Amino acid sequence: MNEDAKPGMIILVCGILGLIMAAVEQLAYVNGYFINIYITDISLLPGFQIATIVLFLLFGAVIAALSSR
């Protein structure tokens, strides 16, 4: 793999994992699992999902920065 593309691929994979985790959070809310204890209103769920995706992207950016030295 081209060394210039490696950090971008790491961020892409972490972003996709964040999207998958957000979908799992949606399913957990709809099916009434543990997430209902913490989120009582459906209007709070999109904010929680966005925060999850952003955290995964930030985590990917940190890993990409550390691995590109």
Side-chain angles (χ1 to χ4, degrees):
M1 177 187 292
N2 188 357
E3 288 297 318
D4 294 334
K6 186 177 178 183
M9 291 299 295
I10 291 171
I11 294 172
L12 176 70
V13 168
C14 286
I16 291 171
L17 289 175
L19 288 172
I20 292 170
M21 191 64 187
V24 169
E25 292 167 358
Q26 176 73 32
L27 289 173
Y29 185 82
V30 169
N31 291 330
Y33 294 126
F34 64 93
I35 204 164
N36 284 353
I37 297 170
Y38 303 110
I39 299 177
T40 56
D41 188 13
I42 189 66
S43 65
L44 298 176
L45 185 62
F48 187 63
Q49 290 173 317
I50 290 170
T52 301
I53 294 168
V54 168
L55 286 175
F56 268 84
L57 286 172
L58 287 174
F59 181 69
V62 168
I63 291 175
L66 291 176
S67 68
S68 68
R69 291 197 271 159

